[in-house]
Amino acid sequence: MKTCISEEMNKLESSQLNVSQCCKVTLDNLKEKPWKAIIKKIAHNWRTRSKLSQLNDAQLKDIGLTAADVDHEVRKPVWK
């Protein structure tokens, strides 16, 4: 009986430790990812809008856009 209780206590302590470690890793990821995601989004928007602004009218027609569409997109802030 005493061994059974001891084993259960060890399992409980071990699971609490795993949950604690998991929570710490998750919190660390949450702290890092928003900034990384924002920077990645800004870089992506800058690159794609830059390339989009270099397309000629025939290329824009091929992808179903007009010069006005491109102008509207290029004028947006890079974080949006």
Side-chain angles (χ1 to χ4, degrees):
M1 178 80 170
K2 190 173 186 178
T3 305
C4 183
I5 293 173
S6 176
E7 288 175 13
E8 290 300 317
M9 289 297 290
N10 286 338
K11 287 180 185 177
L12 181 60
E13 288 172 357
S14 176
S15 68
Q16 287 174 342
L17 184 61
N18 289 339
V19 169
S20 179
Q21 288 172 341
C22 182
C23 289
K24 184 180 181 312
V25 169
T26 302
L27 287 174
D28 288 343
N29 286 340
L30 287 174
K31 289 177 187 174
E32 292 177 13
K33 285 188 179 180
W35 287 108
K36 287 181 182 178
I38 290 168
I39 291 169
K40 283 182 181 181
K41 182 177 181 181
I42 288 171
H44 172 77
N45 289 347
W46 182 81
R47 277 192 313 273
T48 55
R49 290 173 186 169
S50 176
K51 300 250 186 215
L52 189 61
S53 67
Q54 296 173 2
L55 298 178
N56 62 34
D57 288 335
Q59 291 169 323
L60 291 174
K61 185 178 178 183
D62 286 345
I63 60 173
L65 294 175
T66 64
D69 295 332
V70 172
D71 186 56
H72 177 73
E73 186 65 29
V74 170
R75 290 180 183 267
K76 289 182 182 176
V78 291
W79 57 86
K80 288 188 177 185

